[in-house]
Amino acid sequence: MNDHAKSYENWTRKEFEALPKLDISEFDYTAKIDAFVIIPTRKKHDSGFRIMDIAPIINRKPIGRFADMTDSIQLGNYHKDTNVLWAMDCLPASGLIRYWAKYQDCFVISPYSTFEIHSEKQKY
């Protein structure tokens, strides 16, 4: 299993794949996300595109993965006057892609077919 003393940046792909599946109904949508890591799969979505598992990072720790549902990602914010600077890199050990919003807090809005992450909590 994962060596949690090792920073997730140095995890292998297998360590990310071993993360438990997140229960959507129990996920805390008010939690600030530091970043998220994309784990491509070989499974196909109904759309014909491949599914990506998403591992949200909270307090510099992967908390699990949204598995078997996402075929697209939407990055954004809810205020037209707020510019969000999105950054990405390729993790050194796993080769997986990590995204984060520089200078902004991020929140998962929807982990479904389109994974939505925004710089501000959704207003209902």
Side-chain angles (χ1 to χ4, degrees):
M1 195 69 179
N2 298 327
D3 175 4
H4 290 288
K6 174 171 68 170
S7 172
Y8 79 89
E9 287 97 341
N10 294 310
W11 283 15
T12 65
R13 181 185 177 111
K14 287 189 185 289
E15 288 174 299
F16 278 100
E17 290 171 342
L19 286 168
K21 291 183 179 182
L22 293 171
D23 183 335
I24 295 169
S25 66
E26 294 180 6
F27 182 73
D28 180 5
Y29 291 93
T30 66
K32 292 179 185 176
I33 305 298
D34 302 336
F36 65 92
V37 175
I38 302 168
I39 309 158
T41 73
R42 294 193 181 274
K43 300 172 190 169
K44 288 213 177 167
H45 188 270
D46 292 341
S47 66
F49 290 90
R50 289 198 183 192
I51 292 173
M52 300 170 278
D53 289 354
I54 307 291
I57 311 299
I58 297 178
N59 296 322
R60 301 213 25 87
K61 292 183 182 2
I63 60 163
R65 64 191 165 92
F66 293 112
D68 301 330
M69 58 186 145
T70 298
D71 69 334
S72 65
I73 296 172
Q74 180 178 326
L75 307 172
N77 63 312
Y78 279 101
H79 288 293
K80 65 178 179 176
D81 298 331
T82 304
N83 291 321
V84 179
L85 177 60
W86 289 98
M88 65 178 260
D89 57 18
C90 189
L91 298 177
S94 65
L96 298 175
I97 302 295
R98 172 179 61 175
Y99 272 91
W100 71 95
K102 293 178 104 174
Y103 319 116
Q104 296 285 329
D105 293 328
C106 297
F107 300 90
V108 172
I109 303 301
S110 169
Y112 298 102
S113 178
T114 297
F115 178 79
E116 292 183 55
I117 186 163
H118 294 268
S119 65
E120 189 168 310
K121 289 181 236 178
Q122 187 171 10
K123 309 289 189 224
Y124 292 101

